[in-house]
Amino acid sequence: MASVPSQFVPITHLSDALQPGLREILVQIGERHLQIEKQLTSLQDSLKDVASLRARAEQELRLFNEREEAWRAKIEEFKHANQAWAIKYKEIDRRRAKLEQ
């Protein structure tokens, strides 16, 4: 094995080699890193929840639109039926008027 120059300190002993103030900064950086990882995990979970809610909302919207289409078709059907009855009533009124003359 090649020898390691004395200026390189193994990572396991790095914190021992640092001044106390630098060691505290490294500890704070490590703690902050863990906090950020937790927040990132939380945000990813929230994003999954939002995606799930969006998919459900889109599905409900599709169902609503299908129901609306069905109701519109029924309304058109009733309009045509109503028009047919209106024509029949006009014919009945016309015949009644003829008979009354």
Side-chain angles (χ1 to χ4, degrees):
M1 245 189 191
S3 68
V4 177
S6 61
Q7 71 220 37
F8 294 108
V9 178
I11 238 11
T12 55
H13 304 297
L14 183 61
S15 63
D16 294 337
L18 296 174
Q19 296 175 13
L22 292 177
R23 187 178 313 154
E24 182 61 31
I25 291 172
L26 279 180
V27 168
Q28 290 174 357
I29 290 171
E31 289 172 350
R32 183 66 181 137
H33 177 77
L34 290 175
Q35 288 175 348
I36 290 171
E37 281 184 347
K38 287 178 184 177
Q39 289 174 341
L40 179 61
T41 301
S42 176
L43 288 172
Q44 288 170 335
D45 291 344
S46 295
L47 189 59
K48 288 177 188 174
D49 292 343
V50 168
S52 174
L53 289 172
R54 179 179 178 170
R56 193 168 70 197
E58 287 173 349
Q59 181 180 7
E60 288 184 21
L61 181 61
R62 279 192 298 276
L63 288 172
F64 176 83
N65 287 338
E66 289 171 6
R67 288 183 193 127
E68 183 182 28
E69 272 185 51
W71 279 108
R72 288 185 187 277
K74 283 284 187 194
I75 289 170
E76 286 301 313
E77 185 180 315
F78 284 121
K79 281 182 184 178
H80 293 299
N82 191 28
Q83 289 171 351
W85 278 107
I87 291 169
K88 287 180 184 179
Y89 284 132
K90 283 182 184 177
E91 180 62 25
I92 290 170
D93 286 343
R94 189 183 60 77
R95 287 183 184 174
R96 183 179 303 137
K98 255 186 179 179
L99 289 174
E100 289 175 355
Q101 287 179 352

